[in-house]
Amino acid sequence: PTKSDLNNLRLLIDDIDNALLQLFKDRMEVSKAVGEFKKANQLPIFQENRWNELLKDRLLKGEKIQLSETFIKSIFEAIHEESLRLQNHLQENK
């Protein structure tokens, strides 16, 4: 392996990271829409059953592709926390 090989691999990581950031942005836009729906229908922001189902599903999918439970759990907990933050912000700005 050469320094050029390493640079190419790092460029691939950069491209993947940029794609992940765009996907996170897209996901938060959908979370905002969910928050608007909840607000309009006077639904609670945190819905424990939905969260438990989502996390269980993502952990199973992560396991199938050999990603650690700790990794998947930490990612989806962070995503969920940001989603709740955005939805709470919508509720506060009635």
Side-chain angles (χ1 to χ4, degrees), residues 9-25:
L9 292 171
R10 287 179 173 164
L11 288 172
L12 285 172
I13 286 174
D14 291 344
D15 288 345
I16 293 167
D17 288 349
N18 288 331
L20 285 170
L21 288 169
Q22 183 60 51
L23 288 170
F24 288 143
K25 177 191 173 291

Side-chain angles (χ1 to χ4, degrees), residues 15-54:
D15 288 345
I16 293 167
D17 288 349
N18 288 331
L20 285 170
L21 288 169
Q22 183 60 51
L23 288 170
F24 288 143
K25 177 191 173 291
D26 294 346
R27 189 175 189 303
M28 290 307 130
E29 291 299 321
V30 174
S31 290
K32 286 180 193 176
V34 168
E36 291 288 351
F37 180 89
K38 289 176 182 177
K39 181 178 176 180
N41 292 279
Q42 300 177 344
L43 296 171
I45 292 169
F46 178 63
Q47 297 184 343
E48 187 172 4
N49 288 341
R50 166 66 179 153
W51 166 240
N52 290 334
E53 289 171 11
L54 182 147

